Amino acid sequence: QVQLVESGGGLVQAGGSLRLSCAASGRTFSSYTMAWFRQAPGKERDFVAAISWSTWSGSNSYYADSVKGRFTISRDNAKNTLYLQMNSLKPEDTAVYYCAAKTQPLFDWTTSQETSYDYWGQGTQVTVSS
């Protein structure tokens, strides 16, 4: 149905930047809510950011408090690709990062809940050294 393939992870020094990509295929992409989650060793999978299908609302993105002002989520519907630009990286950002998608096009209280998403990528490792 929908396949998500992530890339862009790697090793970076604290204060540096990375951009993660998630390529989607198999179904309509533009109407999906897309999100990034992350999971550090020994911890639960946590919400990072989400973006709705709307490109005109001016308020179509949502971020966890821990990444506000540092991370930016975006999407290119023509390329069926989701991005996460990560700046000012900290060691505590070290985790496996996953992209996710669900058919619900608008935000509600479930947007940050991993169980509400229908499709997941394989994850990409981000390691931030101090």
Side-chain angles (χ1 to χ4, degrees):
Q1 292 179 282
V2 174
Q3 299 177 44
L4 304 175
V5 180
E6 299 166 339
S7 62
L11 176 66
V12 65
Q13 191 173 359
S17 299
L18 284 174
R19 189 177 77 160
L20 306 183
S21 299
C22 177
S25 63
R27 283 255 291 171
T28 300
F29 175 78
S30 61
S31 64
Y32 281 59
T33 293
M34 305 289 293
W36 290 95
F37 290 78
R38 66 186 182 185
Q39 187 169 24
K43 297 184 178 180
E44 301 293 325
R45 189 173 300 183
D46 293 327
F47 172 77
V48 176
I51 187 166
S52 74
W53 68 273
S54 176
T55 59
W56 52 263
S57 71
S59 59
N60 66 333
S61 59
Y62 175 53
Y63 298 91
D65 288 341
S66 59
V67 306
K68 284 181 180 178
R70 299 189 299 123
F71 291 10
T72 302
I73 188 170
S74 62
R75 65 196 298 167
D76 187 334
N77 290 341
K79 297 179 179 179
N80 285 353
T81 302
L82 175 75
Y83 302 99
L84 183 69
Q85 178 66 47
M86 305 186 294
N87 298 326
S88 301
L89 283 162
K90 304 174 181 179
E92 52 263 43
D93 295 318
T94 296
V96 177
Y97 283 71
Y98 300 87
C99 65
K102 62 178 177 179
T103 57
Q104 185 178 18
L106 301 178
F107 290 162
D108 63 15
W109 72 273
T110 70
T111 299
S112 64
Q113 306 301 305
E114 64 176 296
T115 56
S116 74
Y117 286 81
D118 304 303
Y119 306 102
W120 291 85
Q122 80 286 355
T124 185
Q125 177 70 48
V126 172
T127 302
V128 184
S129 65
S130 60

